[in-house]
Amino acid sequence: MFFDALKGELPESLSVDVCIIGAGVAGITIAKQLKNEGLRIALVESGGLQLNPDVQDLYNGENIGLPYDPLDACRLRFFGGTSNHWGGWTRPMDRVDFEKREWIPWSGWPITLDDVAPYYEQAQNLVEVDGTPYDAEFFSPESSTNYLVDRANIETKIFKLSPPTRFLKSYKVDFNDAHSVVVLLNSNVVDFVLSESGKTVQAAQIKTLAGKNTAVTATHFVLACGGIENARILLNCRKANKSGLGNDDDLVGRFFSDHDGILSGNAVLGQRLLKSTFYQLHVPEIVRKAGLNTRIVPAFTLAEKILREKSLPNFNTYVLPVPDNAKAKGSLSIYPDIEGLVNFVEGTPLHPAGSRRFFQLVTAFENTPNPNSRVMLGDKRDALGLLRCKLNWQRSDNDEILARRLTMEFSRQFALAGLGRVNIDKDNIWPQKSLEIGRHHMGTTRMSSSPKHGVVDKNCRVHTTNNLFVAGSSVFASYGFAQPTLTIIALALRLSSHIKQQVSRA
Ligand SMILES: Cc1cc2nc3c(=O)[nH]c(=O)nc-3n(C[C@H](O)[C@H](O)[C@H](O)COP(=O)(O)OP(=O)(O)OC[C@H]3O[C@@H](n4cnc5c(N)ncnc54)[C@H](O)[C@@H]3O)c2cc1C
């Protein structure tokens, strides 16, 4: 049932079993999952059912680090959250993404892929991608083109494209008549009431832009407000502890990361790769324009054994056609003997005149977690009186080292496999500005086994509390290269099971 605070429908108080804060991807997933479990649920959402500039302005903040999107443009603050404009790229994380690796300081989760894997299939259903594996070999027979399975050191990673599912449009209906779920719209959580010990959250305090207040009491609380806002809300809860809630060790807001991208070289493709339509489906626009049913995007990476042997981060590389003639001419000047080069690679004649031969490699890689990259509070206040966000996004020095190393190794293996030749512009591998392939806000309430290294435990519970949980990519301890939303949903489903078990045991 929906109640809109700006229409005077805010209850004076509300008591439930589970209070979920934020009706975005994570919050809606958990509410959907728990709504038929005999629990009373409140789903508290800052916005309404459409964008309202006054509500969206609550996301305004300051960027003081590397150039980044305005903070009110890289997320959306109404029912459905940022799914109202996400791109729909999905892929589970890889096993290696959960592991501690010495060459990536601070890497590693306290859980493994096995803890999350059971939830990926249901997560795929929720974003309307089919339940088939993200496995290149699975798709190769259908592709009827020469999928390059025989290249031992170079592997193909598959992304699947959601329609993209808008959680407002697809899942509002689940709550229209659901008596077990009270959805409070235009209701902002601004603080938590804690027990005397400071360990138990007793109520979430709610404030509206019209100046009305209420509180929701519950036995379990889930903060699901997105990768930046989860940290900002905890930092703003300063009544009991000036440093914020869950922040005894000054870790809330640290380790902010996005997925970074680099232009990792210009490539001349060998015949076989050039002919493979499988690898030409690299951007969703091309897939859709071609009217294909399959919504997959293949990209290259290196075999896991090479990532380990060469101490590389996990990454993927797309092969993109150089879009205009001017750039193609530029590529020609880089390759004075281009025809000889391609012939050398493949030992076959050149491609038919007029075919596209010049390509750019775009690499997305996992950044090294950096404690100095952080969400902090600024000096200015929003219309609710909360201190606005100040984001200081910084890459780790390790990122440049690893990006250079992986570019060299990938290019070497690409050539050895006979896929083509890559020209690396060493001076420009490392850009000052991100390629903006992300807008994935991760790491600010990272998962850890010890409170000394993170904010939430392996069940997403804030270490310093008994009953406050965090959902979303803020819990990611290291980041992989896959877009985060499928894993956000899988973790939200896992958290739902955990809460259900806890409530039934109580
Ligand atoms: C342009 C763009 C493209 C993207 N493309 C992709 C992609 O292709 N693949 C992918 O995996 N990811 C993509 N993402 C990221 C994806 O959108 C997010 O990972 C996902 O939406 C995060 O889900 P969430 O539930 O954690 O947060 P959100 O979906 O942002 O939801 C947070 C909710 O909390 C509410 N809220 C905030 N503060 C409060 C408060 N104080 N009280 C109550 N409610 C509050 C907000 O209104 C919002 O509804 C993209 C993002 C952008 C911006």
Side-chain angles (χ1 to χ4, degrees), residues 35-201:
K35 84 183 168 76
N36 297 324
E37 298 293 342
L39 303 175
R40 288 163 304 143
I41 294 156
L43 180 56
V44 185
E45 168 53 43
S46 167
L49 295 177
Q50 58 197 16
L51 188 75
N52 170 342
D54 295 336
V55 177
Q56 188 64 19
D57 178 68
L58 299 168
Y59 268 164
N60 239 315
E62 213 184 329
N63 277 314
I64 61 163
L66 291 169
Y68 204 69
D69 279 345
L71 296 181
D72 59 341
C74 57
R75 49 209 178 131
L76 286 174
R77 196 159 170 145
F78 60 104
F79 191 89
T82 310
S83 81
N84 290 305
H85 73 177
W86 77 310
W89 288 60
T90 74
R91 181 178 162 74
M93 289 180 98
D94 293 320
R95 184 164 296 282
V96 71
D97 296 330
F98 291 88
E99 290 177 7
K100 180 169 175 51
R101 284 150 291 156
E102 272 156 32
W103 56 97
I104 306 180
W106 290 98
S107 60
W109 297 53
I111 58 176
T112 70
L113 178 64
D114 294 333
D115 294 294
V116 188
Y119 303 94
Y120 273 128
E121 195 175 333
Q122 194 183 345
Q124 285 172 240
N125 289 338
L126 283 168
V127 291
E128 301 167 89
V129 298
D130 62 45
T132 53
Y134 286 72
D135 179 348
E137 286 184 52
F138 180 86
F139 292 99
S140 61
E142 281 174 34
S143 77
S144 75
T145 55
N146 46 353
Y147 162 59
L148 309 167
V149 274
D150 56 337
R151 312 290 171 163
N153 291 344
I154 299 250
E155 285 189 356
T156 301
K157 296 283 182 183
I158 296 292
F159 297 83
K160 291 188 194 174
L161 300 174
S162 163
T165 305
R166 310 281 176 221
F167 276 52
L168 189 161
K169 211 168 154 206
S170 299
Y171 301 125
K172 176 186 170 287
V173 64
D174 286 62
F175 304 105
N176 285 343
D177 302 315
H179 292 282
S180 56
V181 186
V182 171
V183 183
L184 298 181
L185 296 176
N186 287 304
S187 303
N188 301 281
V189 168
V190 290
D191 207 349
F192 291 104
V193 179
L194 299 179
S195 64
E196 225 170 281
S197 69
K199 288 194 175 344
T200 306
V201 176

Side-chain angles (χ1 to χ4, degrees), residues 20 71 83 155 161 245 315 369 402 431 439 444 483 492:
I20 302 161
L71 296 181
S83 81
E155 285 189 356
L161 300 174
L245 181 54
F315 74 98
L402 295 187
R439 299 176 186 92
T444 59
Q483 296 81 2

Side-chain angles (χ1 to χ4, degrees), residues 276-346:
S276 164
T277 53
F278 190 67
Y279 291 93
Q280 305 292 310
L281 306 181
H282 18 239
V283 285
E285 289 70 26
I286 294 179
V287 179
R288 286 177 186 140
K289 269 186 204 151
L292 299 174
N293 289 326
T294 172
R295 288 192 295 266
I296 62 164
V297 181
F300 291 107
T301 191
L302 291 174
E304 202 180 296
K305 73 172 171 38
I306 299 192
L307 297 183
R308 291 186 197 283
E309 273 169 26
K310 304 283 178 184
S311 302
L312 300 175
N314 202 4
F315 74 98
N316 71 287
T317 295
Y318 305 100
V319 180
L320 298 174
V322 174
D324 55 53
N325 290 338
K327 280 197 182 149
K329 274 188 199 137
S331 298
L332 264 178
S333 66
I334 297 169
Y335 300 103
D337 180 22
I338 198 156
E339 308 209 348
L341 184 60
V342 177
N343 279 328
F344 170 77
V345 171
E346 286 288 325

Side-chain angles (χ1 to χ4, degrees), residues 249-264:
D249 290 288
D250 189 24
L251 291 168
V252 171
R254 290 188 182 271
F255 298 98
F256 172 84
S257 188
D258 201 327
H259 283 125
D260 226 345
I262 54 171
L263 297 175
S264 46

Side-chain angles (χ1 to χ4, degrees), residues 190-194 203 205 234-245:
V190 290
D191 207 349
F192 291 104
V193 179
L194 299 179
Q205 290 193 321
L234 291 175
L235 291 172
N236 260 294
C237 293
R238 301 193 301 166
K239 270 201 296 244
N241 184 342
K242 267 197 123 181
S243 66
L245 181 54

